[in-house]
Amino acid sequence: MLGFISWTASLATFFILGILLFDMVSDGFRIMMSVDFFTNGPEKAGRAGGIAPILVSTMLVVGIAIAVSIPIGLATALLLSEFTRRDSQFAFFVRKSLDILAGVPSIVFGLFGNAFFCVYLGMGFSILSGGLTLACMVLPILIRTTEESFRAVPNEFRHGIAALGFTKTASVFHLLMPMAIPGLVVGTILGVGRATAETAALIFTSGYVDRMPESVLDSGRTLSVHIYDLAMNIPGGDRMAYATSLCLVLILLSMSFLTNIIAKSVLQRGIYTS
Amino acid sequence: MLKIKDSSLLQTDNFVSSILKIAASVSAVIVILILGFLIRETADVPSRIGITSFFFDKTWNPTESQFNLIPMLAGSLLSTLGAVMLAIPTGVVCAVFLHLYANDPLRFILRRTLEILGGIPSVVYGFWGLVVLVPMINMWYPPGAGLSAAVSVLTIMILPTASLMIDAAFQAIPRQAVAGVRALGLERWEILTLCLIPQARLGILTATLLSVGRAIGETMAVLMVCGNIVQFPSSIFDPIRTLTANIALELGYAEGNHRSALYVSGILLLFIIAVLIVVISIYERQHQRAKYDSK
């Protein structure tokens, strides 16, 4: 009985993935295969044409989010793993803040981004406000993976380099960073993936405009917002929505594939190579 | 730990350390800013709208100054409850399959499938629900978009992550415990109820609470399939609207009291999440203490 139930449930997950991918590929693949899809802008409110400006906006929003969050994330992870004791008050405080940030629903980030970046700082609906909102959102995941990769460096190495008379700062640059690089790359890819998949936080920060953005202060529509708009507001936009979904899912899948490869190569090589 | 005082070398470390501290406080500052701006947008709500309106007004109709959030809160809670009640048992069953039934290649494939499903963005699930699930439900119980569609899409969305978390909780069980139960020659059913579930109790509980958080906070997937009519559902096929969907639908044009009311619902969401985080950390602390005492 238990065997039957668990076989069914597991087959059902394959089934769901199968249907999802089948629907997307059968409806979207032909549109996605044409070059025009990647070089043209949307026409007839997205029913025809391509997604070039949307790809550019997506890259800009995600790029800003990552460029802002990596330095902060790296510094926070370094502080948490190397420069404070585990039981310090300050570290506890920072960790709790990160836990809260990780739990905040994305639509609440949207509310916050709209009130703070768009209205209070006067950036309006722009790629910049969207990117900064996402930067706040990916910070916890970035810090967690980075901190773990620093912690994975064995303590003997730290003792060794301290015995050589290196300061902590020097050991960060000469020992910890080089050794933790694969972990940092994995963390960054995870952050990019999270940012690319996000919709709710962006509708009211980076906005809806589907023209090619001329600067980061222009409003720009990301892939996920495009899917939402085509599905909900544009009758007859389904086929383009399928094509865009396929595009988005392929981007995310290749990222997770990359993460797995990097993680595995690090596991196989062991920690002693760098 | 080395302790050297008055060394010029260590001054660099202190300097770097203080810079890192500034960077690390950014995350705390963001939390404070989020709270601050949600409160700032709603600061004059008690005097202009009044707290009680959100619970006792006739309905949600901001243009007529009716601000009752309860039907949408009910929508959020009902869809979350339904999804978690479906997803967690199924997740346990999937994890059981991984541990007691699957051989190595199958286990690898299923884990990878779950990871892929967990990585698909919620807007894609929502879109898929809108064009596949909703018409399907519509054939039997029109209008199709409603509580049942929302529950189905949420279930499919949280199931992969939930099963992976429960799977990880099963993996964390000490080998000796599982080996011991196996050596007793028990049936798989008994291994599950006597060893796996009791040992992974905390992991399953955490997975449940995190799934609740994800389901309550989910916007896009629900927004696209729930029908978006503000009402208490009288059957599981009735259209509903959730708190998150309401914000996403109306923030674009909301002004004045209406905008403030949406920020109030944001605070409400944040409060629910905060309660969940506190409950999780209490359980984890209890669990750690129990572990400590038993040693």
Side-chain angles (χ1 to χ4, degrees):
Chain A
M1 187 62 193
L2 182 65
F4 176 72
I5 297 175
S6 61
W7 272 99
T8 323
S10 313
L11 287 179
T13 47
F14 292 125
F15 186 63
I16 290 169
L17 182 69
I19 300 187
L20 248 175
L21 290 180
F22 176 78
D23 280 345
M24 268 191 284
V25 171
S26 66
D27 282 295
F29 190 65
R30 240 182 348 157
I31 302 177
M32 215 194 84
M33 277 316 283
S34 70
V35 185
D36 291 352
F37 186 67
F38 295 101
T39 53
N40 289 1
E43 288 156 25
K44 296 186 202 156
R47 289 185 194 90
I51 55 166
I54 287 142
L55 278 175
V56 173
S57 306
T58 310
M59 278 189 251
L60 284 174
V61 170
V62 174
I64 290 174
I66 292 300
V68 172
S69 56
I70 279 188
I72 300 173
L74 195 59
T76 311
L78 267 178
L79 182 90
L80 289 179
S81 73
E82 306 300 325
F83 283 83
T84 50
R85 300 160 63 101
R86 261 203 160 178
D87 50 358
S88 93
Q89 280 278 316
F90 184 74
F92 175 80
F93 195 56
V94 172
R95 283 216 174 81
K96 275 285 161 263
S97 315
L98 288 171
D99 283 350
I100 298 172
L101 271 189
V104 172
S106 55
I107 189 77
V108 175
F109 273 107
L111 283 175
F112 160 71
N114 185 277
F116 183 58
F117 296 118
C118 299
V119 177
Y120 185 75
L121 295 184
M123 296 176 191
F125 281 74
S126 67
I127 288 175
L128 188 61
S129 355
L132 291 175
T133 311
L134 282 191
C136 306
M137 238 182 113
V138 297
L139 213 47
I141 191 171
L142 212 61
I143 292 173
R144 201 169 299 152
T145 38
T146 315
E147 193 195 340
E148 268 165 26
S149 61
F150 282 135
R151 286 204 187 280
V153 176
N155 256 337
E156 291 78 24
F157 285 42
R158 292 191 182 85
H159 298 161
I161 202 160
L164 291 174
F166 279 47
T167 57
K168 263 204 165 147
T169 316
S171 74
V172 165
F173 287 107
H174 294 285
L175 172 76
L176 293 165
M177 294 273 244
M179 290 193 74
I181 273 183
L184 305 187
V185 175
V186 169
T188 310
I189 301 176
L190 283 177
V192 171
R194 176 97 199 268
T196 317
E198 186 46 47
T199 319
L202 287 176
I203 301 179
F204 302 113
T205 50
S206 72
Y208 266 94
V209 175
D210 59 2
R211 280 192 308 272
M212 184 64 86
E214 276 159 19
S215 78
V216 289
L217 289 174
D218 275 358
S219 167
R221 186 191 279 197
T222 64
L223 283 170
S224 45
V225 175
H226 191 54
I227 298 171
Y228 164 67
D229 194 51
L230 284 175
M232 290 293 279
N233 305 331
I234 316 286
D238 283 5
R239 271 158 38 86
M240 293 308 273
Y242 267 125
T244 317
S245 307
L246 184 62
C247 187
L248 178 61
V249 169
L250 284 181
I251 292 174
L252 293 173
L253 281 188
S254 47
M255 274 182 213
S256 84
F257 186 64
L258 210 63
T259 322
N260 275 328
I261 288 183
I262 297 171
K264 194 174 283 175
S265 75
V266 174
L267 277 181
Q268 278 170 355
R269 280 188 348 208
I271 198 128
Y272 292 97
T273 42
S274 45
Chain B
M1 193 61 91
L2 283 173
K3 284 214 170 141
I4 313 166
K5 278 179 185 166
D6 301 325
S7 158
S8 62
L9 279 177
L10 286 184
Q11 275 176 1
T12 346
D13 280 354
N14 287 335
F15 176 66
V16 170
S17 171
S18 47
I19 288 184
L20 293 182
K21 265 192 181 157
I22 294 172
S25 5
V26 169
S27 28
V29 171
I30 294 173
V31 172
I32 294 166
L33 276 178
I34 291 178
L35 278 177
F37 270 84
L38 289 185
I39 292 170
R40 181 172 178 268
E41 293 283 329
T42 54
D44 49 355
V45 160
S47 60
R48 275 189 300 140
I49 307 176
I51 306 283
T52 50
S53 316
F54 296 110
F55 305 104
F56 299 114
D57 273 1
K58 281 198 199 73
T59 174
W60 169 265
N61 194 350
T63 45
E64 312 263 317
S65 299
Q66 300 284 320
F67 296 106
N68 193 348
L69 292 174
I70 298 295
M72 290 178 283
L73 184 63
S76 285
L77 293 180
L78 282 174
S79 52
T80 303
L81 187 74
V84 171
M85 270 169 45
L86 285 174
I88 294 298
T90 322
V92 171
V93 168
C94 278
V96 167
F97 179 79
L98 283 170
H99 280 263
L100 299 182
Y101 290 92
N103 53 7
D104 278 345
L106 203 55
R107 191 177 298 142
F108 175 79
I109 297 173
L110 182 59
R111 278 208 185 111
R112 195 45 57 81
T113 310
L114 289 171
E115 278 168 22
I116 292 176
L117 280 173
I120 290 179
S122 57
V123 69
V124 173
Y125 279 117
F127 168 60
W128 183 73
L130 182 71
V131 292
V132 177
L133 278 180
V134 169
M136 213 146 57
I137 299 174
N138 185 34
M139 283 198 291
W140 296 295
Y141 302 97
L147 183 56
S148 54
V151 168
S152 326
V153 169
L154 275 180
T155 307
I156 293 175
M157 214 190 88
I158 59 181
L159 175 63
T161 338
S163 351
L164 286 173
M165 277 192 280
I166 296 169
D167 174 42
F170 281 174
Q171 274 180 334
I173 298 175
R175 287 230 168 143
Q176 304 91 305
V178 185
V181 186
R182 275 177 189 250
L184 289 174
L186 297 181
E187 299 273 328
R188 279 158 171 156
W189 174 252
E190 290 162 319
I191 299 180
L192 173 68
T193 48
L194 294 177
C195 172
L196 291 182
I197 289 187
Q199 291 272 344
R201 205 179 54 237
L202 180 86
I204 297 174
L205 198 80
T206 316
T208 313
L209 292 174
L210 287 176
S211 305
V212 170
R214 252 189 94 195
I216 277 202
E218 179 48 44
T219 314
M220 304 319 292
V222 179
L223 165 65
M224 292 163 89
V225 298
C226 70
N228 293 318
I229 295 174
V230 185
Q231 61 175 3
F232 281 105
S234 51
S235 83
I236 56 165
F237 299 104
D238 275 358
I240 53 159
R241 186 186 284 192
T242 64
L243 284 173
T244 49
N246 186 46
I247 299 174
L249 284 169
E250 299 190 353
L251 186 66
Y253 63 89
E255 273 167 12
N257 284 352
H258 185 187
R259 187 175 154 93
S260 310
L262 293 178
Y263 275 85
V264 170
S265 55
I267 293 182
L268 192 58
L269 279 170
L270 209 54
F271 177 73
I272 298 173
I273 298 292
V275 170
L276 281 173
I277 292 178
V278 169
V279 172
I280 291 178
S281 64
I282 288 175
Y283 271 113
E284 275 177 351
R285 204 168 301 156
Q286 270 183 356
H287 183 76
Q288 271 167 5
R289 199 173 299 150
K291 230 179 182 174
Y292 204 72
D293 289 346
S294 67
K295 268 176 192 166

